[in-house]
Amino acid sequence: MGNCKFVDELNRLRKSSSDSIDGTDTFDDFKKYMHVSRSAEKDLIEILYKIADSGRKSLVMLCGSAGDGKSHLLSYLKNDLRLLDNYVVYNDATESSAPSKTAIETLSEALQGFSDENLEKPGKNFILAINLGVLSNFVESSYGDSFKQLRQYVINSNILTNQLNEKGYEENSAFQHISFSDYHMYNLTAHGVKPEYLEHLLEKVFRKEFENPFYNVYNNNCKKCFLSQKCPVKHNFEFLANEKNRKYVANALVEVTIKDKEILTTREILNYIYDIIVAQNFNCEKIAQSLTNEVSFLKEYISDITPSLMYEYIDKSVLLNRLKKYDPLLIRSEQADEDAISYYVSSDVLNEVISVLDKEVYSKVLCQQSAIEKINSDKVLKAQLFNILERLKKIKSDTIHDDAYMSFLKMLYYFNTGTTKKYGELYDLVEKAVIQWCGKEDQDNICFNNCHEGIALYEHIEFEPYLDASLSTKKNEELRIFLPFITVKYESKKTGEIISLDIDYSLYELIYKLTAGYIQTAEDRNNHADFISFIHKILRTGSADKEVFLVTDDNRKAIVEKTKFGVYKFKVVR
């Protein structure tokens, strides 16, 4: 890539770049420029100031997963803000200090000042970046026996559970923590998601300011390049300099975290940004050679622009593979079919191309008269361009047409804000989904057994929602700390048992489809054992121990009732 200074500069975004490695000893100008403040950072800084005011020796834990930004944050706090001058900084709890020692043993030695024996003795503050798995192994190990108070803090703070901890600084405690798993790449509002962090990160790369190192190289070199008017990399950069186009990318990344539980790290996101700007085999010389044949050049150009790079490459990265499932081309609708027919039967696609590409940077190449002539006459080129046009329509649209997704976001907000009055709609969906899954007969009785040949057994279910009084009501318009799933609870009138179900997006989508009449498949049964278990528990709350309805294949019906004397009565209804 040495023949293109701009691509060399963009290469700093890649995971393989030395710039992606964070250490606590330095925080260079590039990292300083790329730094984007996050909610976890703000909360941690507040804790550090309160520790300074308290004068108490403290252990601060930054908990999370690999690559989520713990090292970067430590480096920023230490070198840029100078907030860790009075702290011992322990950055990697997965490494051992000696070949003969395990990481857990090394960690135990490092934390001796906070063992039960030494907790009240004077000493230096300590800040520790630690993965949740390592923390769990440590407090449960034999070394953890010397840290019983730390173990109790971990338990009381729900650090290793899926419950939220919103306490912040805990007075009179030697232990404090921030868990990155409590925070997300987006905030949640009553109207959907607000991906502020992602948008700010994208803005850092594409901002038209000379303090932006990428824009600096672009401005100084791309205009002089002999490929300037034909370069897909330059045009991709200009395409994503448009805030609206970046917003689409940010929302697409949020969608994959919610739908597929993809854990996004800043490192992965920056690598993804590179992947949608620079094609895998991009080469200036190759582009220059293709200019001798306009059809070859156009095919190469279309495959190398962002709307193609986002969806057409497989096995380049896990993130690109995930996003490929949400290619706008996979959304079928009557309008989409009509657009496709109209485009492919047209002998001249100029108007269709201009209507979509007008004002987009790619029009400099694709709306030229000679390009349109080649597109009209080459079937492969015409099909390639159709894909681009359909994706650009979605990118330029402000509307999300996924009803299940939007409904889930709304319910997720109601759940996390404790908006009880809105729960009725959610519980109604769950109950309808259970009935659809099991099947019902005309008296609204639910099937609980259809294993007998020619006969299905039904019972009456009274769903009794249980609203947890401990749920706090939040008046926030925007949530930055929240659970990424919804929990519904029902109470058995028979036993008082509380039957709960955690609903992530995948299960919510199934529930949403069931309420619309969808019939579950074997794959659904394999993927949602939690829902099946929940249904079985709900069925145990029904009337089967007192009254059972039998329905035959030819629709004859009978009732078996248990009398007060413990005997059963059989009655044919029809």
Side-chain angles (χ1 to χ4, degrees), residues 294-347:
E294 191 170 9
V295 171
S296 296
F297 164 71
L298 288 170
K299 288 178 180 177
E300 190 79 28
Y301 178 84
I302 290 174
S303 68
D304 285 0
I305 61 178
T306 295
S308 292
L309 297 178
M310 285 182 71
Y311 297 111
E312 291 191 1
Y313 285 80
I314 57 172
D315 297 332
K316 191 176 179 183
S317 75
V318 173
L319 195 48
L320 279 171
N321 284 351
R322 290 271 191 265
L323 282 158
K324 188 174 174 62
K325 294 193 307 182
Y326 306 111
D327 187 343
L329 292 174
L330 301 177
I331 302 172
R332 298 300 305 273
S333 69
E334 191 174 324
Q335 184 61 53
D337 291 343
E338 288 178 6
D339 289 347
I341 293 169
S342 173
Y343 177 86
Y344 281 109
V345 300
S346 175
S347 59

Side-chain angles (χ1 to χ4, degrees), residues 218-264:
Y218 157 84
N219 189 67
N220 293 332
N221 293 273
C222 287
K223 291 178 181 177
K224 304 172 188 174
C225 178
F226 71 101
L227 288 176
S228 179
Q229 298 303 309
K230 303 283 188 178
C231 179
V233 175
K234 175 177 178 287
H235 290 170
N236 290 339
F237 188 81
E238 291 167 352
F239 176 74
L240 290 169
N242 182 314
E243 184 181 0
K244 188 173 182 180
N245 296 335
R246 292 201 304 270
K247 193 178 286 288
Y248 174 84
V249 172
N251 280 308
L253 290 171
V254 169
E255 189 173 357
V256 82
T257 67
I258 293 172
K259 290 185 174 181
D260 295 294
K261 294 184 177 179
E262 185 68 22
I263 298 174
L264 284 189

